[in-house]
Amino acid sequence: MRTGVLSYFAVWMALIYSVIGVEMKSIMVTYPNEVPDSVIAEAREAVLAKGGIITHDYEDLLRGFAANVPIDALDVMKTAEDNHGATVEEDQMVSINT
């Protein structure tokens, strides 16, 4: 149920941002295994404080999250890269051709 509510909220926030003209960037943020959960939680809160939307939490194979963030909030993610070894990259579809 919580995932459904969060997805619904994310869609509405994306719609609101598109109407008011805020340019958003879809990113994926992952952390090394040794980074404490509190650091990841802090990064998530920073994204939300800047008007971003968490679209997915990674808990199994990866440690981190995906988010839509305003372009001007990317500096927050750069700090996460520099201070905690996070990898911040554009969230995109990946496929394997055989």
Side-chain angles (χ1 to χ4, degrees):
M1 177 69 174
R2 179 175 178 222
T3 302
V5 171
L6 289 177
S7 297
Y8 184 73
F9 178 73
V11 168
W12 275 105
M13 290 303 294
L15 179 62
I16 289 168
Y17 282 133
S18 67
V19 168
I20 61 175
V22 175
E23 188 176 353
M24 302 289 278
K25 185 87 169 167
S26 182
I27 62 169
M28 186 171 96
V29 183
T30 56
Y31 289 86
N33 288 335
E34 62 273 5
V35 172
D37 290 340
S38 62
V39 169
I40 299 171
E42 187 178 300
R44 291 177 87 260
E45 291 301 319
V47 165
L48 295 173
K50 289 281 195 171
I53 303 162
I54 305 297
T55 58
H56 189 79
D57 282 307
Y58 300 113
E59 298 171 353
D60 296 326
L61 296 176
L62 302 173
R63 296 190 66 229
F65 57 91
N68 292 329
V69 297
I71 295 294
D72 63 350
L74 290 175
D75 61 331
V76 171
M77 297 295 88
K78 180 66 177 153
T79 302
E81 277 186 303
D82 295 342
N83 293 342
H84 302 290
T87 300
V88 180
E89 57 190 310
E90 186 172 352
D91 194 12
Q92 56 190 332
M93 183 70 69
V94 176
S95 64
I96 299 173
N97 294 327
T98 58

